[in-house]
């Protein structure tokens, strides 16, 4: 039975203790960083009342959720004002919600949270946890470094303090012998996470838009800002200590290096009921790699186009094949609001994995073709680079979905 879930979220200033001995002036939903975990099932109706108690406008964007255009959370809610978001949860996946005003500062200060939507036929593992990855850029005095100089807007904001669920390098524990579902979200402004769990194998179960056709075994996964992955992690042996880290990745800026997000300790054994099915979900391909694109989006033009860019309208029901071309010298994670897409080609080649996505990295000097079908949710939508500083610089465009 679909339920109705009502929630109050207040955006307010908060003392954010990101480490046992360290805190800073954060912004938190209900005073916590990250904000409360929202859990729902497909078909549930969500009613979220946002009250803005910050001294600046804010809003909630439901990243990845296929909500109606006027619930997408791009219209600011003024200080002392409130807004009620109402929508039905259409898909099962790991989503997240975050401010969509002055994001470079508001997300760095903590205005984000995870949103887990479950559906029928989820794989049964021994446990589940959400890991929101982030980082903080501090000045030498330990306060947040100032925001948004030209250098930072161009390079993006990356900090040296790595966070999981709002805490600096926490210690996590898993029972020996068990396999858990980890829902990982990259909530950082700019930092790319090339995630490794002590170099050990794990399975990818899902991406931005939910389960993939079958588990994919690997020992690392690249998550750019905005992207999510569901992983099956374990089993390990009692006493093992593994580093959850990001391996060096060259996004065209900065020195690629290895950094630790957290430590995973393997505790005493517990019985396992985990069953990883050989197939998880059927996904029909929207298009083949050889079909001609309907639109080309140049990352370079987008980057230099400024804040008032408008792209051509998109008619409901008309298959979209967009070539995302990155002529610049750095990678850009491209995010489409409100709709899932499939990657149909990477530099002309079919991709390794068929999956539903809402954010995809377009590596420098490369191109990615995506396919998506605008379902019947007309209105104003947007796409942008999810490096928040690039978005702030105007690396975005609005377009209309027309009936
Ligand atoms: Cu998560 Cu417009 O963004
Ligand atoms: Cu970018």
């Amino acid at each position: 039975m679909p339920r109705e879930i009502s929630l109050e979220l207040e955006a307010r200033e908060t003392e954010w203790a990101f480490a046992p001995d360290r805190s800073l002036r954060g912004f938190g939903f209900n005073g916590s960083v990250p904000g409360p975990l929202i859990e729902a099932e497909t078909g549930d109706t969500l009613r979220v009342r946002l009250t803005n108690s910050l001294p600046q406008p804010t809003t909630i964007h439901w990243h990845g959720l296929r909500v109606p255009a006027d619930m997408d959370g791009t219209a600011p809610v003024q200080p002392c004002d409130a807004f009620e978001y109402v929508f039905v949860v259409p898909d099962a996946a790991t989503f997240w919600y975050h401010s969509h005003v002055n994001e470079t500062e508001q997300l760095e200060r903590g205005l984000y949270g995870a949103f887990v939507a479950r559906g029928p036929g989820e794989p049964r593992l021994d446990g589940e946890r959400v890991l929101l990855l982030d980082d903080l850029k501090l000045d030498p005095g330990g306060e947040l470094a100032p925001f948004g100089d030209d250098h930072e807007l161009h390079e993006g904001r990356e900090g040296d303090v790595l966070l999981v669920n709002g805490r600096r390098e926490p210690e996590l524990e898993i029972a020996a012998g068990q396999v858990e579902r980890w829902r990982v979200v990259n909530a950082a402004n700019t930092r790319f996470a090339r995630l490794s769990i002590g170099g050990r194998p794990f399975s990818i179960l899902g991406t931005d838009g939910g389960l993939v056709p079958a588990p994919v075994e690997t020992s690392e996964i690249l998550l750019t800002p905005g992207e999510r992955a569901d992983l099956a992690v374990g089993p390990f042996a009692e006493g093992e200590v593994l580093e959850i880290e990001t391996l060096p990745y060259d996004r065209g800026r900065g020195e690629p290096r290895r950094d630790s997000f957290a430590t995973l300790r393997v505790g005493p054994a517990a019985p396992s009921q985990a069953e990883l099915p050989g197939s998880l979900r059927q996904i029909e391909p929207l298009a083949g790699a050889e079909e001609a694109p309907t639109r080309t989006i140049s990352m370079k033009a987008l980057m230099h186009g400024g804040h008032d860019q408008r792209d051509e309208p998109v008619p409901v029901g008309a298959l979209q094949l967009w070539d995302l071309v990155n002529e610049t010298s750095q990678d850009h994670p491209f995010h489409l609001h409100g709709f899932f897409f499939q990657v149909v080609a990477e530099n002309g080649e079919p991709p390794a994995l068929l999956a539903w996505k809402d954010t995809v990295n377009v590596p420098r000097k490369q191109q990615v073709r995506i396919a998506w079908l605008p379902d019947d949710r007309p209105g104003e939508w947007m796409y942008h680079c999810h490096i928040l500083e690039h978005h702030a610089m105007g690396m975005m465009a609005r377009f209309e979905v027309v009936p």
Side-chain angles (χ1 to χ4, degrees):
M1 268 298 276
R3 298 167 302 170
E4 192 163 304
I5 301 174
S6 294
L7 275 175
E8 301 269 345
L9 290 179
E10 183 193 19
R12 62 170 188 253
E13 294 190 10
T14 185
E15 197 58 24
W16 171 14
F18 62 90
D21 49 342
R22 303 284 300 277
S23 70
L24 53 81
R25 190 177 66 100
F27 294 166
F29 289 112
N30 297 356
S32 79
V33 181
L37 169 65
I38 301 178
E39 295 178 273
E41 294 193 13
T42 52
D44 289 348
T45 299
L46 227 91
R47 239 169 230 292
V48 182
R49 190 178 160 81
L50 167 68
T51 306
N52 184 7
S53 304
L54 291 173
Q56 51 181 273
T58 191
T59 175
I60 300 178
H61 168 57
W62 307 96
H63 182 124
L65 280 142
R66 297 189 301 139
V67 300
D70 56 348
M71 293 293 147
D72 192 40
T74 50
V77 178
Q78 297 304 316
C80 300
D81 211 348
F83 184 84
E84 191 175 60
Y85 300 94
V86 186
F87 54 86
V88 174
V89 177
D91 304 289
T94 302
F95 300 102
W96 63 305
Y97 62 97
H98 61 77
S99 149
H100 217 277
V101 179
N102 187 19
E103 297 99 326
T104 51
E105 177 178 357
Q106 293 194 2
L107 270 83
E108 180 83 340
R109 288 195 189 276
L111 276 183
Y112 61 78
F115 188 127
V116 169
R118 300 188 177 85
E122 301 277 355
R124 282 196 182 286
L125 302 188
D126 297 314
E128 187 178 295
R129 65 179 90 203
V130 173
L131 286 81
L132 287 146
L133 310 180
D134 193 5
D135 65 1
L136 281 174
K137 184 175 170 186
L138 303 179
D139 67 15
E143 290 302 312
L144 278 183
F147 289 90
D149 58 40
D150 281 354
H151 175 81
E152 184 173 284
L153 285 178
H154 197 261
E155 313 287 301
R157 181 182 175 99
E158 278 187 80
D160 292 331
V161 177
L162 272 68
L163 307 171
V164 175
N165 299 337
R167 300 291 170 273
R168 183 184 68 194
E169 294 173 56
E171 286 206 350
L172 311 177
E173 191 169 308
I174 186 171
Q178 291 207 323
V179 184
E180 293 186 346
R181 179 169 181 171
W182 286 15
R183 297 174 178 268
V184 190
V185 180
N186 186 345
N189 286 32
T190 291
R191 177 181 287 273
F192 286 30
R194 187 181 151 206
L195 194 69
S196 152
I197 304 167
R200 306 290 286 277
F202 54 80
S203 294
I204 301 169
L205 302 180
T207 54
D208 303 340
L211 296 172
V212 290
V216 178
E217 197 176 286
T218 180
S219 60
E220 59 170 82
I221 183 169
L222 180 68
L223 289 178
T224 65
E227 286 189 294
R228 287 88 66 208
D230 284 22
L231 312 174
V233 176
F236 304 115
E238 184 172 354
E240 288 190 277
V241 180
L242 305 170
E243 283 306 301
I244 301 173
E245 54 185 356
T246 172
L247 304 174
Y249 177 81
D250 184 5
R251 64 176 182 90
R253 286 295 177 275
E255 249 330 281
R257 56 172 234 223
R258 183 177 198 125
D259 265 309
S260 179
F261 272 109
T263 305
L264 181 66
R265 292 186 182 279
V266 185
S272 174
Q273 249 96 76
E275 256 176 63
L276 210 52
S279 78
L280 295 165
R281 179 201 205 174
Q282 198 84 32
I283 297 181
E284 293 303 325
L286 284 178
E290 65 301 331
E291 277 171 64
T294 57
R295 189 174 293 195
T296 298
I297 298 171
S298 149
M299 295 298 123
K300 188 172 172 198
L302 197 63
M303 195 167 193
H304 300 292
H307 285 89
D308 298 312
Q309 301 181 71
R310 273 209 89 79
D311 205 339
E312 296 298 310
V314 166
V316 166
L319 180 68
Q320 300 298 304
L321 279 164
W322 291 5
D323 263 346
L324 312 175
V325 181
N326 185 356
E327 323 82 330
T328 76
S329 60
Q330 53 177 322
D331 292 16
H332 299 288
F334 176 93
H335 171 47
L336 173 66
H337 275 214
F339 301 87
F340 291 131
F341 54 77
Q342 294 175 356
V343 172
V344 296
E346 292 163 342
N347 303 312
E349 299 296 324
L353 182 63
L354 180 60
W356 289 110
K357 299 282 296 165
D358 55 58
T359 307
V360 66
N361 187 39
V362 189
R364 59 195 189 285
K365 310 293 178 201
Q366 295 191 33
Q367 63 184 68
V368 171
R369 183 173 301 161
I370 61 169
W372 65 282
L373 197 62
D375 57 87
D376 193 13
R377 284 173 299 127
E380 276 282 293
W381 296 98
M382 67 162 78
Y383 56 74
H384 59 84
C385 177
H386 219 289
I387 289 179
L388 299 180
E389 290 68 31
H390 290 175
H391 183 191
M393 204 167 62
M395 195 170 180
M396 56 161 297
R398 294 176 197 277
F399 65 96
E400 200 181 341
V401 170
V402 291

